[in-house]
Amino acid sequence: MEIVKSIDEIKTKKNIAITFGKFDGLHTGHMLLISELVKAKEEEDMCAVAFSFDVPPARVVQDKPFRMLMTNEEKIHSFDTMGVDYFVEFPFTKETMCMEAYDFLRMLCSKIRIKKIVVGNDFAFGHNRSGNIELLRKCEEVFGYKLFAIDKLKSHGRVISSTLIRGAIAHGDIASANELLGYNYFLHGIVEPGRKIGRTIGIPTVNLYPPENKLLPKFGCYSSRIIIDGKNGRAKYYGITNIGVNPTINDEKKAKVETYIFDFSGDLYGLEITVEILYFIRGEKKFASIDALKDQINSDIETAKKLIS
């Protein structure tokens, strides 16, 4: 897969199937769109293009931080494994924000051979979100593409959306979030040294410091699955993961992801690991002593083992 910042960088003589969106989290609803692109690629020999913006529009429009279900790097990796040919990280500038929907569509169709547009039936684009499915349908013959508007997926009567998933994760309802995502919510990074306090109580942990724009689940303890990328390939383990600021020790203000891996010994410093969050066990709390914290962690370990058995 090629990652480009400009439509002009798409170099193909094939007809193009394209979809648009923020794709935050790449949940089950997004998967429907991508599956249509891949279908067009396999059955009609089209080039599959996913179009997104380099930053969340809310960061520019509302001028405020925005925490994402997936970082751009995670999103790129996922698209690559799905069979997308080009991922467009289009710069979301003030100029882009003010572009009228028709002008935006005309610009795209004048530069690349778009023959199929795949979007959700509530898709909106352009200045003040003035562009919609009706406009895309009106322009089918003008620009020579075919529109595929897909009904939104629902779960328990609610439309599956990144906003719904983000709310579930923020409240610690990780089981519901994972069901909506279609995979386990994960945190990925390089293992960094900590204060090694876990070793002193017989519960050594590995530490990740997620990017500031990554949405963290509600602070607390979770059962987890850990995927380790090593020299001999990938290995999978289970464990418990604490997400928060360590109020008992009160040693840092920055949130971190601290994981105890069951049935594992070894040095992981500098290696990439993925921590999949499975079940919420308890919220973060401050304990009266290190011994009280140790007792609670041992209890958490037993709870986690029962949940994954």
Side-chain angles (χ1 to χ4, degrees):
M1 184 181 76
E2 294 191 45
I3 303 120
V4 299
K5 296 286 187 181
S6 167
I7 296 298
D8 296 320
E9 295 179 60
I10 297 178
K11 305 296 184 182
T12 180
K13 294 181 180 179
K14 292 183 178 182
N15 292 334
I16 287 175
I18 190 169
T19 187
F20 303 87
K22 296 187 292 291
F23 301 113
D24 190 21
L26 279 175
H27 55 65
T28 50
H30 295 139
M31 299 296 185
L32 277 182
L33 305 180
I34 304 304
S35 66
E36 279 295 327
L37 290 191
V38 174
K39 182 179 178 181
K41 175 180 177 177
E42 294 175 348
E43 297 181 1
E44 303 176 61
D45 195 30
M46 288 189 175
C47 178
V49 176
F51 183 103
S52 191
F53 292 115
D54 60 346
V55 297
R59 187 182 300 174
V60 177
V61 176
Q62 302 173 20
D63 192 25
K64 67 178 184 180
F66 187 83
R67 296 190 183 277
M68 299 185 292
L69 299 172
M70 268 188 176
T71 64
N72 281 10
E73 291 76 15
E74 292 166 349
K75 197 183 300 181
I76 288 167
H77 174 74
S78 296
F79 273 125
D80 191 27
T81 60
M82 292 177 198
V84 171
D85 295 308
Y86 282 92
F87 178 62
V88 184
E89 286 187 301
F90 199 81
F92 191 81
T93 62
K94 296 285 187 180
E95 182 181 357
T96 304
M97 182 177 67
C98 295
M99 186 177 292
E100 295 298 332
Y102 182 84
D103 294 335
F104 178 75
L105 187 59
R106 180 176 59 185
M107 179 272 293
L108 291 177
C109 293
S110 68
K111 291 178 179 292
I112 53 177
R113 293 165 54 88
I114 297 175
K115 295 300 178 182
K116 181 176 287 189
I117 292 179
V118 182
V119 291
N121 59 11
D122 65 344
F123 177 64
F125 64 105
H127 183 52
N128 290 330
R129 295 174 60 83
S130 58
N132 53 26
I133 295 298
E134 183 180 357
L135 175 62
L136 288 173
R137 288 209 185 281
K138 287 180 179 178
C139 291
E140 279 184 300
E141 291 188 11
V142 176
F143 296 119
Y145 60 76
K146 181 67 177 176
L147 174 66
F148 285 77
I150 298 176
D151 290 339
K152 305 289 281 187
L153 271 186
K154 291 185 178 182
S155 176
H156 306 291
R158 297 180 298 176
V159 171
I160 297 174
S161 69
S162 300
T163 300
L164 181 63
I165 296 167
R166 195 178 290 109
I169 290 173
H171 287 90
D173 188 3
I174 199 70
S176 293
N178 289 344
E179 179 183 349
L180 297 169
L181 285 166
Y183 58 86
N184 297 324
Y185 192 63
F186 64 88
L187 302 159
H188 179 84
I190 295 175
V191 176
E192 299 186 29
R195 292 183 61 184
K196 302 182 180 180
I197 293 175
R199 295 180 185 275
T200 67
I201 59 176
I203 311 172
T205 60
V206 293
N207 303 293
L208 297 181
Y209 291 88
E212 290 186 1
N213 63 345
K214 177 76 173 183
L215 178 69
L216 295 180
K218 175 182 177 181
F219 286 0
C221 182
Y222 296 82
S223 66
S224 56
R225 185 171 74 159
I226 301 91
I227 302 170
I228 302 169
D229 292 318
K231 295 180 180 178
N232 299 318
R234 309 190 95 194
K236 298 179 181 179
Y237 297 86
Y238 287 95
I240 58 168
T241 296
N242 189 79
I243 300 172
V245 294
N246 294 332
T248 302
I249 300 168
N250 196 29
D251 62 337
E252 52 189 300
K253 296 180 180 179
K254 184 179 180 180
K256 71 177 178 179
V257 178
E258 196 170 11
T259 300
Y260 170 65
I261 306 173
F262 302 158
D263 306 315
F264 176 85
S265 62
D267 184 357
L268 296 176
Y269 294 139
L271 293 182
E272 289 189 19
I273 68 169
T274 299
V275 179
E276 297 180 348
I277 310 300
L278 304 180
Y279 299 102
F280 178 77
I281 296 176
R282 62 169 175 84
E284 184 174 65
K285 62 178 292 187
K286 184 173 183 177
F287 294 91
S289 65
I290 295 295
D291 286 339
L293 172 61
K294 179 180 177 180
D295 289 343
Q296 181 62 63
I297 293 175
N298 283 323
S299 175
D300 296 337
I301 291 170
E302 292 305 312
T303 301
K305 288 182 175 180
K306 290 176 182 177
L307 287 170
I308 63 177
S309 62

